[in-house]
């Protein structure tokens, strides 16, 4: 309840009762499920001194609680937020906005005239939509270049941080991490931003934040056109995912005829090419640091030339640009000799290869012929010579030793020796030995039994069956004592 004894205290019909505050996105916070407390006629407006409904909420985690400071009638007169008193459309102080739009402040300052003026504006505002600004702001012209340069397109949640803990500055804070205030060093007390007045901001006089933004606007760079008159392309950056060719064409066609628009979705940029250089210069001048589409401030730059990529010098036949040497660095290495340009490993060429390279190009080197190895004579031994005996595992036939001795005596005087091949058939009447069994001991061979080829089994063992071949497991009937 208001405690002052002004005329508005007894004129209760002019007290303001609202269901929801007029706030900017920054003060509202990033939490979509925000909860507010509503205090009907909780405080007086800091501009018109009328009691109004006060809303209080927390914009997010680790943020300070905020509340409305002015009534909605004063907020609609200037089109500002009820908490931070910044413009709802551009996010700028009132002083900067009024200077850009050339709006003259005619709000009275005296208490009597102010109350009468507010009552009339409140009556006129009741006939309009609650979201429509009243007064001189609602009748202002379109946005100027200064507003488009300084306008804030995204919320600045850093403004909702808690205040600095005065006990921590003095070294007396004992809360630690539970302290709801910031534990940081304060700014310079001589800084003009440290001394801000809510009435100066509302009336647009002596606002340090507005002075800082005006100086920033004067120091902003300008986009100079390139010297190459053939460049008619503009680079458009920071498009995002929603802006496409249609939105760009709808905006840039007003500056001149467009030849082509190329959108690079991966890099979120585009290239707009005009047919005339004059149209491209007008588009660059009117959109540089001013263009806002889809809630995003777009980056405008001049494109690069698509013509000659090499240098302009006429002495360079390869089209490469000749650069000046950097002082203090060693010069370039001399080129390698002509005969060593293809020799990457610096290997000495053999004499034969060097002689072949020096000869005529049509001469071809003959392949080197390798003689075949000597052939061992194959066939039957001469008469009277018996082949060598069988392997040690087989007994020699009778008379084989005497025949071998006679052959050695007969061949003692021969001049040319005879070599027998390693693999020969055994003599007639000699049976070749069987190969050793290729299965582990205790198992039977896989080939069928026969009289001439008995199974090879270890001595002292009979026929061995696998468990799956056991007659008792294959369903055969056994002759027991009962059957007998």
């Amino acid at each position: 309840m208001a405690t002052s004894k002004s005329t508005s205290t007894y004129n209760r019909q002019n007290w303001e009762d609202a269901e929801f505050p007029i706030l900017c996105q920054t003060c509202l916070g990033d939490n979509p499920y925000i909860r507010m407390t509503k205090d009907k006629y909780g405080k007086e407006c800091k501009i018109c001194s009328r009691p109004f409904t006060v809303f209080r909420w927390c914009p997010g985690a680790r943020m300070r609680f905020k509340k409305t400071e002015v009534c909605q009638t004063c907020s609609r007169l200037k089109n500002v937020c009820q908490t931070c008193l910044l413009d709802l459309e551009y996010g700028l102080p009132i002083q900067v906005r009024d200077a850009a739009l050339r709006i003259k402040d005619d709000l009275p300052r005296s208490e009597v005239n102010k109350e009468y003026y507010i009552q009339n504006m409140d009556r006129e505002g009741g006939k309009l939509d609650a979201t429509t600004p009243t007064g001189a702001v609602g009748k202002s012209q379109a946005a100027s270049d200064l507003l488009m340069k300084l306008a804030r397109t995204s919320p600045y949640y850093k403004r909702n941080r808690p205040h600095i803990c005065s006990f921590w500055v003095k070294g007396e804070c004992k809360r630690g991490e539970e302290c709801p205030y910031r534990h940081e060093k304060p700014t310079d007390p001589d800084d003009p931003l440290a001394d801000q007045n809510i009435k100066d901001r509302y009336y647009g006089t002596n606002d340090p934040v507005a002075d800082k933004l005006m100086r920033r606007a004067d120091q902003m760079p300008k986009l100079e056109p390139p010297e190459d008159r053939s460049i008619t392309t503009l680079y458009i950056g920071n498009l995002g995912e929603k802006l496409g060719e249609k939105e760009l064409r709808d905006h840039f066609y007003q500056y001149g005829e467009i030849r082509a628009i190329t959108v690079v979705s991966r890099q979120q940029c585009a290239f707009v090419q005009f047919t005339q250089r004059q149209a491209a210069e007008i588009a660059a001048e009117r959109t540089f640091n001013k263009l806002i589409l889809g809630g995003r401030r777009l980056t405008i730059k001049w494109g690069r030339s698509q013509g000659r990529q090499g240098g302009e010098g006429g002495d360079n036949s390869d089209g490469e640009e000749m650069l000046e040497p950097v002082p203090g660095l060693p010069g370039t290495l001399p080129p390698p000799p002509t005969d060593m340009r293809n020799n990457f490993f610096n290997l000495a060429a053999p004499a034969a290869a060097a002689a072949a390279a020096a000869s005529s190009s049509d001469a071809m080197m003959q392949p080197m012929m390798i003689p075949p190895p000597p052939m061992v004579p194959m066939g039957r031994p001469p008469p009277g010579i018996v082949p060598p005996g069988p392997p040690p595992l087989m007994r020699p036939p009778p008379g084989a030793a005497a025949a071998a001795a006679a052959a050695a005596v007969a061949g003692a005087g021969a001049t040319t020796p005879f070599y027998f091949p390693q693999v020969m058939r055994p003599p007639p009447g000699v049976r070749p030995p069987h190969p050793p069994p290729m299965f582990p001991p205790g198992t039977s061979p896989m080939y069928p039994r026969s009289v001439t080829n008995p199974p090879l089994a270890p001595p002292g063992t009979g026929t061995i069956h696998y468990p799956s071949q056991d007659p008792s497991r294959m369903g055969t009937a056994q002759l027991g004592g009962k059957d007998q």
Side-chain angles (χ1 to χ4, degrees):
M1 189 73 180
T3 58
S4 64
K5 299 298 181 179
S6 61
T7 56
S8 60
T9 305
Y10 306 100
N11 191 8
R12 299 179 66 92
Q13 63 179 358
N14 293 329
W15 293 5
E16 183 181 272
D17 185 13
E19 296 296 334
F20 196 82
I22 301 176
L23 301 174
C24 62
Q25 188 176 358
T26 301
C27 294
L28 194 60
D30 58 346
N31 186 8
Y33 306 102
I34 192 172
R35 289 190 287 182
M36 291 185 177
T37 60
K38 177 182 177 182
D39 187 6
K40 190 174 182 180
Y41 311 136
K43 281 190 176 183
E44 290 183 353
C45 175
K46 294 184 178 181
I47 303 300
C48 64
S49 301
R50 291 192 312 164
F52 72 105
T53 303
V54 178
F55 295 89
R56 188 172 182 268
W57 71 98
C58 181
R62 305 294 297 178
M63 300 294 178
R64 73 176 187 271
F65 277 82
K66 310 192 76 173
K67 61 184 179 64
T68 54
E69 303 292 346
V70 298
C71 64
Q72 293 193 4
T73 303
C74 296
S75 173
R76 294 177 61 185
L77 283 176
K78 295 285 187 177
N79 193 30
V80 294
C81 174
Q82 285 188 257
T83 301
C84 63
L85 272 68
L86 296 179
D87 186 80
L88 293 174
E89 185 175 358
Y90 305 106
L92 298 174
I94 298 177
Q95 183 177 347
V96 178
R97 185 202 61 189
D98 292 352
L101 298 179
R102 300 177 181 178
I103 298 176
K104 184 179 180 180
D105 183 21
D106 55 354
L107 187 65
R109 306 298 175 89
S110 64
E111 295 296 333
V112 179
N113 295 337
K114 185 191 306 181
E115 183 178 359
Y116 178 74
Y117 181 81
I118 292 296
Q119 289 180 2
N120 293 335
M121 289 293 102
D122 193 10
R123 191 179 300 107
E124 291 182 5
K127 302 177 183 178
L128 301 176
D129 187 10
T131 59
T132 304
T134 59
V137 181
K139 303 175 183 179
S140 61
Q141 56 184 356
S144 62
D145 297 343
L146 179 62
L147 283 181
M148 302 306 296
K149 289 181 180 179
L150 300 178
R152 184 180 293 275
T153 58
S154 59
Y156 184 66
Y157 296 123
K158 190 177 179 180
R159 196 169 63 222
N160 300 333
R161 295 182 304 169
H163 296 292
I164 296 177
C165 180
S166 59
F167 289 90
W168 182 84
V169 176
K170 295 182 292 185
E172 299 177 0
C173 183
K174 299 180 181 180
R175 295 184 179 182
E177 295 182 356
E178 298 179 357
C179 182
Y181 298 95
R182 282 187 297 159
H183 287 183
E184 297 179 4
K185 295 181 62 177
T187 57
D188 187 6
D190 298 334
D191 187 4
L193 296 177
D195 185 14
Q196 301 184 27
N197 190 356
I198 188 171
K199 289 189 176 181
D200 291 343
R201 173 168 294 181
Y202 185 81
Y203 291 114
T205 57
N206 302 326
D207 190 357
V209 179
D211 297 338
K212 178 182 177 181
L213 292 177
M214 296 294 286
R215 291 193 301 268
R216 181 188 299 176
D218 298 336
Q219 299 175 0
M220 278 189 173
K222 298 181 180 180
L223 185 62
E224 299 294 338
E227 298 180 358
D228 189 358
R229 301 291 299 179
S230 63
I231 300 178
T232 59
T233 304
L234 295 180
Y235 166 83
I236 315 298
N238 194 26
L239 289 180
E241 299 178 356
K242 298 181 179 180
L243 296 180
E245 180 179 353
K246 181 180 181 302
E247 291 77 9
L248 295 177
R249 187 178 297 276
D250 292 344
H251 179 81
F252 281 96
Y253 85 97
Q254 58 183 322
Y255 306 116
E257 184 180 357
I258 299 175
R259 176 174 297 173
I261 296 180
T262 305
V263 179
V264 185
S265 302
R266 179 177 298 180
Q267 299 181 1
Q268 296 185 357
C269 66
F271 297 90
V272 180
Q273 185 179 9
F274 293 89
T275 57
Q276 298 180 1
R277 172 60 179 261
Q278 184 179 1
E281 292 181 357
I282 296 176
E285 181 182 358
R286 296 184 181 179
T287 58
F288 179 67
N289 282 339
K290 307 172 189 176
L291 181 57
I292 300 176
L293 291 180
R296 302 176 68 92
R297 183 184 295 275
L298 304 186
T299 304
I300 308 297
K301 297 180 181 179
W302 280 97
R304 297 182 180 180
S305 176
Q306 301 294 332
R308 295 173 298 176
Q309 301 294 335
E312 298 180 357
D315 298 337
N316 193 358
S317 59
D318 296 338
E320 299 179 358
E321 185 178 358
M322 301 299 295
L323 302 177
E324 298 181 359
V326 180
L329 295 180
T332 58
L333 296 177
T338 307
D339 54 346
M340 297 294 291
R341 287 188 177 181
N342 295 331
N343 191 358
F344 302 103
F345 300 99
N346 198 17
L347 301 177
S359 60
S360 59
S361 59
D362 57 344
M364 300 179 60
M365 185 175 61
Q366 297 295 333
M368 184 174 57
M369 301 300 296
I370 302 176
M375 301 296 295
V376 179
M378 300 293 294
R380 298 181 179 180
I385 298 179
V386 182
L393 298 178
M394 184 178 63
R395 296 181 179 180
V409 173
T415 58
T416 303
F418 178 78
Y419 299 94
F420 289 92
Q422 298 180 359
V423 181
M424 294 186 63
R425 295 183 179 180
V430 179
R431 192 174 186 179
H434 291 283
M438 302 300 294
F439 44 85
T443 59
S444 60
M446 302 302 296
Y447 47 82
R449 302 179 184 179
S450 62
V451 180
T452 58
N453 191 13
L456 299 178
T461 59
T463 304
I464 300 176
H465 296 278
Y466 290 100
S468 60
Q469 299 177 354
D470 189 1
S472 62
R473 297 185 180 183
M474 298 179 64
T476 58
Q478 297 183 0
L479 296 177
K482 296 181 180 181
D483 297 338
Q484 295 176 0

